[in-house]
Amino acid sequence: MSLENEHRLRFRDAMASLGAAVNIVTTDGTAGCCGITATAVCSVTDTPPTLMVCVNRNSAMNAVFQENGRLCVNVLNHEQEEMACHFAGMKGSTMEERFGWNVWDRGILQQPLLKDALANLEGEITQVQDIGTHSVYLVEIKQIIVREEGHGLVYFKRKFHPVMHQLLAVTA
């Protein structure tokens, strides 16, 4: 194995130790409707509210996101792991089937919002920069929905894990 490949694999192993929230990033518009499971999402600033979203450049959906120019980051709760698997391509469902399920609403920008997600952040892509294998989107958020109920879902060590937002009270 070349030193470059070994370095790349060690980087991936290190990133597997960096727990991250699990999201389904969706888009709809003239280029069509699609979505992906993504952990490469983070806040940039709150003025104006802006997220960074990274999408593999080789993904057929990358061009759809760019042409539509809008997207929604749906932050998954711990009960939505199966949806994460579907949008990661692990279940064999088609994009049409996924968006045919009765789990979607529409936001102010007409993007698909996943019902019961911990949060839905709908916005416009303001910048795109290609870095290595990925396109990095800066997304200015236009609508924010936050739900108080529910626990989180993270991806850590190449597996999904629930994150409880509070410990259950123990009674004696």
Side-chain angles (χ1 to χ4, degrees), residues 81-115:
E81 180 179 333
E82 187 169 340
M83 286 295 286
C85 291
H86 278 287
F87 278 85
M90 302 164 79
K91 296 283 188 172
S93 58
T94 67
M95 203 62 69
E96 187 175 323
E97 288 171 328
R98 297 172 203 170
F99 284 104
W101 299 325
N102 188 27
V103 295
W104 300 102
D105 282 328
R106 290 289 171 159
I108 60 171
L109 300 176
Q110 297 305 305
Q111 299 308 292
L113 279 60
L114 182 62
K115 295 177 185 177

PDB file of all heavy atoms in Angstrom, residues 81-115:
ATOM      1  N   GLU A  81     -33.210   6.161  12.573  1.00  0.00           N
ATOM      2  CA  GLU A  81     -32.032   5.464  12.048  1.00  0.00           C
ATOM      3  C   GLU A  81     -32.342   4.742  10.736  1.00  0.00           C
ATOM      4  O   GLU A  81     -31.529   4.754   9.810  1.00  0.00           O
ATOM      5  CB  GLU A  81     -31.502   4.461  13.081  1.00  0.00           C
ATOM      6  CG  GLU A  81     -30.293   3.691  12.613  1.00  0.00           C
ATOM      7  CD  GLU A  81     -29.762   2.728  13.658  1.00  0.00           C
ATOM      8  OE1 GLU A  81     -29.941   2.957  14.865  1.00  0.00           O
ATOM      9  OE2 GLU A  81     -29.142   1.724  13.242  1.00  0.00           O
ATOM     10  N   GLU A  82     -33.513   4.135  10.639  1.00  0.00           N
ATOM     11  CA  GLU A  82     -33.859   3.420   9.406  1.00  0.00           C
ATOM     12  C   GLU A  82     -33.921   4.384   8.214  1.00  0.00           C
ATOM     13  O   GLU A  82     -33.478   4.051   7.118  1.00  0.00           O
ATOM     14  CB  GLU A  82     -35.187   2.675   9.549  1.00  0.00           C
ATOM     15  CG  GLU A  82     -35.473   1.796   8.353  1.00  0.00           C
ATOM     16  CD  GLU A  82     -36.640   0.841   8.570  1.00  0.00           C
ATOM     17  OE1 GLU A  82     -36.995   0.565   9.726  1.00  0.00           O
ATOM     18  OE2 GLU A  82     -37.180   0.371   7.561  1.00  0.00           O
ATOM     19  N   MET A  83     -34.442   5.595   8.438  1.00  0.00           N
ATOM     20  CA  MET A  83     -34.456   6.600   7.369  1.00  0.00           C
ATOM     21  C   MET A  83     -33.029   6.946   6.952  1.00  0.00           C
ATOM     22  O   MET A  83     -32.739   7.102   5.769  1.00  0.00           O
ATOM     23  CB  MET A  83     -35.195   7.863   7.820  1.00  0.00           C
ATOM     24  CG  MET A  83     -36.696   7.709   7.884  1.00  0.00           C
ATOM     25  SD  MET A  83     -37.450   7.409   6.273  1.00  0.00           S
ATOM     26  CE  MET A  83     -37.336   9.028   5.552  1.00  0.00           C
ATOM     27  N   ALA A  84     -32.137   7.060   7.931  1.00  0.00           N
ATOM     28  CA  ALA A  84     -30.732   7.334   7.621  1.00  0.00           C
ATOM     29  C   ALA A  84     -30.165   6.237   6.731  1.00  0.00           C
ATOM     30  O   ALA A  84     -29.444   6.520   5.768  1.00  0.00           O
ATOM     31  CB  ALA A  84     -29.920   7.460   8.905  1.00  0.00           C
ATOM     32  N   CYS A  85     -30.511   4.996   7.027  1.00  0.00           N
ATOM     33  CA  CYS A  85     -30.030   3.871   6.221  1.00  0.00           C
ATOM     34  C   CYS A  85     -30.598   3.932   4.799  1.00  0.00           C
ATOM     35  O   CYS A  85     -29.878   3.682   3.829  1.00  0.00           O
ATOM     36  CB  CYS A  85     -30.390   2.547   6.886  1.00  0.00           C
ATOM     37  SG  CYS A  85     -29.478   2.228   8.412  1.00  0.00           S
ATOM     38  N   HIS A  86     -31.874   4.274   4.666  1.00  0.00           N
ATOM     39  CA  HIS A  86     -32.474   4.396   3.337  1.00  0.00           C
ATOM     40  C   HIS A  86     -31.749   5.461   2.517  1.00  0.00           C
ATOM     41  O   HIS A  86     -31.387   5.228   1.365  1.00  0.00           O
ATOM     42  CB  HIS A  86     -33.965   4.751   3.435  1.00  0.00           C
ATOM     43  CG  HIS A  86     -34.851   3.577   3.691  1.00  0.00           C
ATOM     44  ND1 HIS A  86     -35.131   2.622   2.744  1.00  0.00           N
ATOM     45  CD2 HIS A  86     -35.515   3.199   4.811  1.00  0.00           C
ATOM     46  CE1 HIS A  86     -35.932   1.706   3.254  1.00  0.00           C
ATOM     47  NE2 HIS A  86     -36.183   2.032   4.508  1.00  0.00           N
ATOM     48  N   PHE A  87     -31.515   6.637   3.122  1.00  0.00           N
ATOM     49  CA  PHE A  87     -30.911   7.736   2.377  1.00  0.00           C
ATOM     50  C   PHE A  87     -29.397   7.570   2.206  1.00  0.00           C
ATOM     51  O   PHE A  87     -28.787   8.294   1.437  1.00  0.00           O
ATOM     52  CB  PHE A  87     -31.283   9.081   3.001  1.00  0.00           C
ATOM     53  CG  PHE A  87     -32.638   9.549   2.566  1.00  0.00           C
ATOM     54  CD1 PHE A  87     -33.782   9.133   3.222  1.00  0.00           C
ATOM     55  CD2 PHE A  87     -32.781  10.372   1.461  1.00  0.00           C
ATOM     56  CE1 PHE A  87     -35.040   9.534   2.803  1.00  0.00           C
ATOM     57  CE2 PHE A  87     -34.029  10.785   1.024  1.00  0.00           C
ATOM     58  CZ  PHE A  87     -35.160  10.362   1.703  1.00  0.00           C
ATOM     59  N   ALA A  88     -28.829   6.593   2.896  1.00  0.00           N
ATOM     60  CA  ALA A  88     -27.428   6.239   2.677  1.00  0.00           C
ATOM     61  C   ALA A  88     -27.309   5.153   1.611  1.00  0.00           C
ATOM     62  O   ALA A  88     -26.201   4.706   1.292  1.00  0.00           O
ATOM     63  CB  ALA A  88     -26.782   5.774   3.985  1.00  0.00           C
ATOM     64  N   GLY A  89     -28.448   4.705   1.068  1.00  0.00           N
ATOM     65  CA  GLY A  89     -28.434   3.690   0.019  1.00  0.00           C
ATOM     66  C   GLY A  89     -28.243   2.279   0.533  1.00  0.00           C
ATOM     67  O   GLY A  89     -27.893   1.379  -0.220  1.00  0.00           O
ATOM     68  N   MET A  90     -28.511   2.049   1.828  1.00  0.00           N
ATOM     69  CA  MET A  90     -28.261   0.749   2.443  1.00  0.00           C
ATOM     70  C   MET A  90     -29.473  -0.186   2.398  1.00  0.00           C
ATOM     71  O   MET A  90     -29.361  -1.348   2.758  1.00  0.00           O
ATOM     72  CB  MET A  90     -27.840   0.940   3.908  1.00  0.00           C
ATOM     73  CG  MET A  90     -26.615   1.813   4.078  1.00  0.00           C
ATOM     74  SD  MET A  90     -26.407   2.417   5.767  1.00  0.00           S
ATOM     75  CE  MET A  90     -25.708   0.979   6.551  1.00  0.00           C
ATOM     76  N   LYS A  91     -30.633   0.312   1.963  1.00  0.00           N
ATOM     77  CA  LYS A  91     -31.862  -0.480   2.027  1.00  0.00           C
ATOM     78  C   LYS A  91     -32.444  -0.825   0.666  1.00  0.00           C
ATOM     79  O   LYS A  91     -33.436  -1.535   0.593  1.00  0.00           O
ATOM     80  CB  LYS A  91     -32.925   0.270   2.844  1.00  0.00           C
ATOM     81  CG  LYS A  91     -32.568   0.491   4.290  1.00  0.00           C
ATOM     82  CD  LYS A  91     -32.767  -0.767   5.076  1.00  0.00           C
ATOM     83  CE  LYS A  91     -32.602  -0.515   6.560  1.00  0.00           C
ATOM     84  NZ  LYS A  91     -32.968  -1.676   7.346  1.00  0.00           N
ATOM     85  N   GLY A  92     -31.895  -0.301  -0.409  1.00  0.00           N
ATOM     86  CA  GLY A  92     -32.370  -0.641  -1.743  1.00  0.00           C
ATOM     87  C   GLY A  92     -33.608   0.109  -2.196  1.00  0.00           C
ATOM     88  O   GLY A  92     -34.151  -0.196  -3.258  1.00  0.00           O
ATOM     89  N   SER A  93     -34.082   1.062  -1.414  1.00  0.00           N
ATOM     90  CA  SER A  93     -35.262   1.830  -1.822  1.00  0.00           C
ATOM     91  C   SER A  93     -34.854   2.889  -2.846  1.00  0.00           C
ATOM     92  O   SER A  93     -33.740   3.401  -2.824  1.00  0.00           O
ATOM     93  CB  SER A  93     -35.912   2.501  -0.603  1.00  0.00           C
ATOM     94  OG  SER A  93     -34.984   3.354   0.039  1.00  0.00           O
ATOM     95  N   THR A  94     -35.780   3.212  -3.732  1.00  0.00           N
ATOM     96  CA  THR A  94     -35.508   4.248  -4.728  1.00  0.00           C
ATOM     97  C   THR A  94     -35.789   5.621  -4.122  1.00  0.00           C
ATOM     98  O   THR A  94     -36.495   5.740  -3.115  1.00  0.00           O
ATOM     99  CB  THR A  94     -36.393   4.072  -5.978  1.00  0.00           C
ATOM    100  OG1 THR A  94     -37.757   4.316  -5.597  1.00  0.00           O
ATOM    101  CG2 THR A  94     -36.240   2.688  -6.586  1.00  0.00           C
ATOM    102  N   MET A  95     -35.259   6.656  -4.753  1.00  0.00           N
ATOM    103  CA  MET A  95     -35.506   8.017  -4.297  1.00  0.00           C
ATOM    104  C   MET A  95     -37.003   8.318  -4.344  1.00  0.00           C
ATOM    105  O   MET A  95     -37.549   8.933  -3.425  1.00  0.00           O
ATOM    106  CB  MET A  95     -34.711   9.006  -5.168  1.00  0.00           C
ATOM    107  CG  MET A  95     -34.449  10.318  -4.503  1.00  0.00           C
ATOM    108  SD  MET A  95     -33.460  10.253  -2.979  1.00  0.00           S
ATOM    109  CE  MET A  95     -31.841   9.799  -3.579  1.00  0.00           C
ATOM    110  N   GLU A  96     -37.662   7.854  -5.404  1.00  0.00           N
ATOM    111  CA  GLU A  96     -39.103   8.071  -5.542  1.00  0.00           C
ATOM    112  C   GLU A  96     -39.866   7.428  -4.382  1.00  0.00           C
ATOM    113  O   GLU A  96     -40.796   8.031  -3.830  1.00  0.00           O
ATOM    114  CB  GLU A  96     -39.586   7.508  -6.879  1.00  0.00           C
ATOM    115  CG  GLU A  96     -41.033   7.829  -7.185  1.00  0.00           C
ATOM    116  CD  GLU A  96     -41.443   7.363  -8.574  1.00  0.00           C
ATOM    117  OE1 GLU A  96     -40.617   7.455  -9.507  1.00  0.00           O
ATOM    118  OE2 GLU A  96     -42.594   6.914  -8.706  1.00  0.00           O
ATOM    119  N   GLU A  97     -39.486   6.210  -4.004  1.00  0.00           N
ATOM    120  CA  GLU A  97     -40.138   5.542  -2.868  1.00  0.00           C
ATOM    121  C   GLU A  97     -39.920   6.333  -1.583  1.00  0.00           C
ATOM    122  O   GLU A  97     -40.864   6.554  -0.813  1.00  0.00           O
ATOM    123  CB  GLU A  97     -39.580   4.124  -2.684  1.00  0.00           C
ATOM    124  CG  GLU A  97     -40.014   3.147  -3.741  1.00  0.00           C
ATOM    125  CD  GLU A  97     -39.277   1.812  -3.653  1.00  0.00           C
ATOM    126  OE1 GLU A  97     -38.089   1.776  -3.240  1.00  0.00           O
ATOM    127  OE2 GLU A  97     -39.910   0.808  -4.011  1.00  0.00           O
ATOM    128  N   ARG A  98     -38.692   6.769  -1.330  1.00  0.00           N
ATOM    129  CA  ARG A  98     -38.368   7.489  -0.088  1.00  0.00           C
ATOM    130  C   ARG A  98     -39.203   8.747   0.063  1.00  0.00           C
ATOM    131  O   ARG A  98     -39.666   9.066   1.166  1.00  0.00           O
ATOM    132  CB  ARG A  98     -36.886   7.861  -0.073  1.00  0.00           C
ATOM    133  CG  ARG A  98     -35.961   6.668  -0.067  1.00  0.00           C
ATOM    134  CD  ARG A  98     -34.524   7.109  -0.243  1.00  0.00           C
ATOM    135  NE  ARG A  98     -33.737   6.003  -0.772  1.00  0.00           N
ATOM    136  CZ  ARG A  98     -32.502   6.110  -1.208  1.00  0.00           C
ATOM    137  NH1 ARG A  98     -31.887   7.276  -1.213  1.00  0.00           N
ATOM    138  NH2 ARG A  98     -31.858   5.061  -1.674  1.00  0.00           N
ATOM    139  N   PHE A  99     -39.386   9.473  -1.043  1.00  0.00           N
ATOM    140  CA  PHE A  99     -40.159  10.707  -0.950  1.00  0.00           C
ATOM    141  C   PHE A  99     -41.660  10.457  -1.097  1.00  0.00           C
ATOM    142  O   PHE A  99     -42.455  11.382  -0.939  1.00  0.00           O
ATOM    143  CB  PHE A  99     -39.659  11.738  -1.964  1.00  0.00           C
ATOM    144  CG  PHE A  99     -38.373  12.376  -1.518  1.00  0.00           C
ATOM    145  CD1 PHE A  99     -37.166  12.011  -2.095  1.00  0.00           C
ATOM    146  CD2 PHE A  99     -38.362  13.314  -0.499  1.00  0.00           C
ATOM    147  CE1 PHE A  99     -35.969  12.574  -1.673  1.00  0.00           C
ATOM    148  CE2 PHE A  99     -37.172  13.893  -0.066  1.00  0.00           C
ATOM    149  CZ  PHE A  99     -35.977  13.525  -0.657  1.00  0.00           C
ATOM    150  N   GLY A 100     -42.061   9.211  -1.361  1.00  0.00           N
ATOM    151  CA  GLY A 100     -43.473   8.847  -1.410  1.00  0.00           C
ATOM    152  C   GLY A 100     -44.044   8.506  -0.045  1.00  0.00           C
ATOM    153  O   GLY A 100     -45.263   8.424   0.119  1.00  0.00           O
ATOM    154  N   TRP A 101     -43.187   8.291   0.945  1.00  0.00           N
ATOM    155  CA  TRP A 101     -43.649   7.971   2.290  1.00  0.00           C
ATOM    156  C   TRP A 101     -44.278   9.201   2.931  1.00  0.00           C
ATOM    157  O   TRP A 101     -43.855  10.326   2.694  1.00  0.00           O
ATOM    158  CB  TRP A 101     -42.513   7.434   3.139  1.00  0.00           C
ATOM    159  CG  TRP A 101     -41.902   6.161   2.596  1.00  0.00           C
ATOM    160  CD1 TRP A 101     -42.544   5.152   1.949  1.00  0.00           C
ATOM    161  CD2 TRP A 101     -40.527   5.799   2.638  1.00  0.00           C
ATOM    162  NE1 TRP A 101     -41.656   4.169   1.590  1.00  0.00           N
ATOM    163  CE2 TRP A 101     -40.403   4.534   2.004  1.00  0.00           C
ATOM    164  CE3 TRP A 101     -39.375   6.398   3.146  1.00  0.00           C
ATOM    165  CZ2 TRP A 101     -39.197   3.878   1.877  1.00  0.00           C
ATOM    166  CZ3 TRP A 101     -38.167   5.733   3.021  1.00  0.00           C
ATOM    167  CH2 TRP A 101     -38.079   4.484   2.389  1.00  0.00           C
ATOM    168  N   ASN A 102     -45.247   8.965   3.788  1.00  0.00           N
ATOM    169  CA  ASN A 102     -45.991  10.047   4.431  1.00  0.00           C
ATOM    170  C   ASN A 102     -45.220  10.588   5.654  1.00  0.00           C
ATOM    171  O   ASN A 102     -45.738  10.599   6.768  1.00  0.00           O
ATOM    172  CB  ASN A 102     -47.392   9.558   4.841  1.00  0.00           C
ATOM    173  CG  ASN A 102     -48.256  10.679   5.326  1.00  0.00           C
ATOM    174  OD1 ASN A 102     -48.081  11.833   4.936  1.00  0.00           O
ATOM    175  ND2 ASN A 102     -49.191  10.357   6.204  1.00  0.00           N
ATOM    176  N   VAL A 103     -44.001  11.020   5.432  1.00  0.00           N
ATOM    177  CA  VAL A 103     -43.172  11.551   6.523  1.00  0.00           C
ATOM    178  C   VAL A 103     -42.621  12.934   6.178  1.00  0.00           C
ATOM    179  O   VAL A 103     -41.741  13.436   6.867  1.00  0.00           O
ATOM    180  CB  VAL A 103     -42.001  10.591   6.860  1.00  0.00           C
ATOM    181  CG1 VAL A 103     -42.535   9.266   7.414  1.00  0.00           C
ATOM    182  CG2 VAL A 103     -41.115  10.344   5.640  1.00  0.00           C
ATOM    183  N   TRP A 104     -43.164  13.553   5.116  1.00  0.00           N
ATOM    184  CA  TRP A 104     -42.607  14.801   4.611  1.00  0.00           C
ATOM    185  C   TRP A 104     -43.599  15.957   4.683  1.00  0.00           C
ATOM    186  O   TRP A 104     -44.786  15.780   4.437  1.00  0.00           O
ATOM    187  CB  TRP A 104     -42.154  14.632   3.153  1.00  0.00           C
ATOM    188  CG  TRP A 104     -41.111  13.574   3.018  1.00  0.00           C
ATOM    189  CD1 TRP A 104     -41.300  12.296   2.564  1.00  0.00           C
ATOM    190  CD2 TRP A 104     -39.740  13.678   3.367  1.00  0.00           C
ATOM    191  NE1 TRP A 104     -40.115  11.606   2.608  1.00  0.00           N
ATOM    192  CE2 TRP A 104     -39.129  12.434   3.100  1.00  0.00           C
ATOM    193  CE3 TRP A 104     -38.944  14.703   3.882  1.00  0.00           C
ATOM    194  CZ2 TRP A 104     -37.777  12.177   3.333  1.00  0.00           C
ATOM    195  CZ3 TRP A 104     -37.600  14.465   4.103  1.00  0.00           C
ATOM    196  CH2 TRP A 104     -37.031  13.210   3.833  1.00  0.00           C
ATOM    197  N   ASP A 105     -43.080  17.114   4.992  1.00  0.00           N
ATOM    198  CA  ASP A 105     -43.786  18.384   4.853  1.00  0.00           C
ATOM    199  C   ASP A 105     -42.985  19.221   3.867  1.00  0.00           C
ATOM    200  O   ASP A 105     -41.911  18.804   3.410  1.00  0.00           O
ATOM    201  CB  ASP A 105     -43.865  19.129   6.201  1.00  0.00           C
ATOM    202  CG  ASP A 105     -44.934  18.564   7.115  1.00  0.00           C
ATOM    203  OD1 ASP A 105     -45.961  18.081   6.618  1.00  0.00           O
ATOM    204  OD2 ASP A 105     -44.729  18.632   8.347  1.00  0.00           O
ATOM    205  N   ARG A 106     -43.475  20.425   3.561  1.00  0.00           N
ATOM    206  CA  ARG A 106     -42.755  21.372   2.704  1.00  0.00           C
ATOM    207  C   ARG A 106     -42.482  22.636   3.495  1.00  0.00           C
ATOM    208  O   ARG A 106     -43.325  23.100   4.255  1.00  0.00           O
ATOM    209  CB  ARG A 106     -43.575  21.722   1.450  1.00  0.00           C
ATOM    210  CG  ARG A 106     -43.688  20.579   0.472  1.00  0.00           C
ATOM    211  CD  ARG A 106     -42.361  20.324  -0.196  1.00  0.00           C
ATOM    212  NE  ARG A 106     -42.394  19.095  -0.971  1.00  0.00           N
ATOM    213  CZ  ARG A 106     -41.555  18.838  -1.945  1.00  0.00           C
ATOM    214  NH1 ARG A 106     -40.637  19.710  -2.294  1.00  0.00           N
ATOM    215  NH2 ARG A 106     -41.622  17.699  -2.590  1.00  0.00           N
ATOM    216  N   GLY A 107     -41.306  23.194   3.287  1.00  0.00           N
ATOM    217  CA  GLY A 107     -40.944  24.424   3.966  1.00  0.00           C
ATOM    218  C   GLY A 107     -41.259  25.645   3.137  1.00  0.00           C
ATOM    219  O   GLY A 107     -41.835  25.547   2.053  1.00  0.00           O
ATOM    220  N   ILE A 108     -40.835  26.805   3.626  1.00  0.00           N
ATOM    221  CA  ILE A 108     -41.136  28.066   2.933  1.00  0.00           C
ATOM    222  C   ILE A 108     -40.437  28.148   1.581  1.00  0.00           C
ATOM    223  O   ILE A 108     -40.883  28.867   0.702  1.00  0.00           O
ATOM    224  CB  ILE A 108     -40.800  29.294   3.799  1.00  0.00           C
ATOM    225  CG1 ILE A 108     -39.315  29.322   4.160  1.00  0.00           C
ATOM    226  CG2 ILE A 108     -41.667  29.347   5.046  1.00  0.00           C
ATOM    227  CD1 ILE A 108     -38.861  30.616   4.820  1.00  0.00           C
ATOM    228  N   LEU A 109     -39.337  27.409   1.420  1.00  0.00           N
ATOM    229  CA  LEU A 109     -38.640  27.361   0.131  1.00  0.00           C
ATOM    230  C   LEU A 109     -39.035  26.121  -0.674  1.00  0.00           C
ATOM    231  O   LEU A 109     -38.387  25.762  -1.648  1.00  0.00           O
ATOM    232  CB  LEU A 109     -37.121  27.377   0.341  1.00  0.00           C
ATOM    233  CG  LEU A 109     -36.555  28.598   1.069  1.00  0.00           C
ATOM    234  CD1 LEU A 109     -35.057  28.452   1.289  1.00  0.00           C
ATOM    235  CD2 LEU A 109     -36.872  29.870   0.310  1.00  0.00           C
ATOM    236  N   GLN A 110     -40.097  25.436  -0.231  1.00  0.00           N
ATOM    237  CA  GLN A 110     -40.637  24.239  -0.889  1.00  0.00           C
ATOM    238  C   GLN A 110     -39.677  23.049  -0.853  1.00  0.00           C
ATOM    239  O   GLN A 110     -39.757  22.156  -1.705  1.00  0.00           O
ATOM    240  CB  GLN A 110     -41.083  24.539  -2.330  1.00  0.00           C
ATOM    241  CG  GLN A 110     -42.215  25.554  -2.402  1.00  0.00           C
ATOM    242  CD  GLN A 110     -43.416  25.118  -1.557  1.00  0.00           C
ATOM    243  OE1 GLN A 110     -43.937  24.018  -1.724  1.00  0.00           O
ATOM    244  NE2 GLN A 110     -43.842  25.966  -0.639  1.00  0.00           N
ATOM    245  N   GLN A 111     -38.799  23.022   0.141  1.00  0.00           N
ATOM    246  CA  GLN A 111     -37.891  21.897   0.291  1.00  0.00           C
ATOM    247  C   GLN A 111     -38.529  20.830   1.182  1.00  0.00           C
ATOM    248  O   GLN A 111     -39.347  21.149   2.058  1.00  0.00           O
ATOM    249  CB  GLN A 111     -36.564  22.364   0.892  1.00  0.00           C
ATOM    250  CG  GLN A 111     -35.841  23.376   0.028  1.00  0.00           C
ATOM    251  CD  GLN A 111     -35.674  22.895  -1.398  1.00  0.00           C
ATOM    252  OE1 GLN A 111     -34.936  21.948  -1.662  1.00  0.00           O
ATOM    253  NE2 GLN A 111     -36.372  23.526  -2.343  1.00  0.00           N
ATOM    254  N   PRO A 112     -38.183  19.548   0.987  1.00  0.00           N
ATOM    255  CA  PRO A 112     -38.742  18.475   1.817  1.00  0.00           C
ATOM    256  C   PRO A 112     -38.216  18.556   3.250  1.00  0.00           C
ATOM    257  O   PRO A 112     -37.004  18.543   3.486  1.00  0.00           O
ATOM    258  CB  PRO A 112     -38.238  17.196   1.140  1.00  0.00           C
ATOM    259  CG  PRO A 112     -37.826  17.605  -0.239  1.00  0.00           C
ATOM    260  CD  PRO A 112     -37.363  19.027  -0.107  1.00  0.00           C
ATOM    261  N   LEU A 113     -39.151  18.675   4.203  1.00  0.00           N
ATOM    262  CA  LEU A 113     -38.851  18.703   5.627  1.00  0.00           C
ATOM    263  C   LEU A 113     -39.312  17.395   6.234  1.00  0.00           C
ATOM    264  O   LEU A 113     -40.498  17.040   6.118  1.00  0.00           O
ATOM    265  CB  LEU A 113     -39.571  19.862   6.322  1.00  0.00           C
ATOM    266  CG  LEU A 113     -38.977  21.256   6.254  1.00  0.00           C
ATOM    267  CD1 LEU A 113     -38.848  21.768   4.832  1.00  0.00           C
ATOM    268  CD2 LEU A 113     -39.791  22.209   7.092  1.00  0.00           C
ATOM    269  N   LEU A 114     -38.431  16.672   6.872  1.00  0.00           N
ATOM    270  CA  LEU A 114     -38.765  15.395   7.490  1.00  0.00           C
ATOM    271  C   LEU A 114     -39.522  15.642   8.789  1.00  0.00           C
ATOM    272  O   LEU A 114     -39.018  16.317   9.694  1.00  0.00           O
ATOM    273  CB  LEU A 114     -37.493  14.583   7.754  1.00  0.00           C
ATOM    274  CG  LEU A 114     -37.676  13.198   8.355  1.00  0.00           C
ATOM    275  CD1 LEU A 114     -38.491  12.293   7.422  1.00  0.00           C
ATOM    276  CD2 LEU A 114     -36.314  12.567   8.649  1.00  0.00           C
ATOM    277  N   LYS A 115     -40.748  15.101   8.858  1.00  0.00           N
ATOM    278  CA  LYS A 115     -41.551  15.234  10.065  1.00  0.00           C
ATOM    279  C   LYS A 115     -40.829  14.563  11.228  1.00  0.00           C
ATOM    280  O   LYS A 115     -40.156  13.541  11.055  1.00  0.00           O
ATOM    281  CB  LYS A 115     -42.918  14.575   9.882  1.00  0.00           C
ATOM    282  CG  LYS A 115     -43.795  15.222   8.842  1.00  0.00           C
ATOM    283  CD  LYS A 115     -45.095  14.436   8.688  1.00  0.00           C
ATOM    284  CE  LYS A 115     -45.957  14.960   7.572  1.00  0.00           C
ATOM    285  NZ  LYS A 115     -47.178  14.141   7.381  1.00  0.00           N
TER     286      LYS A 115
END
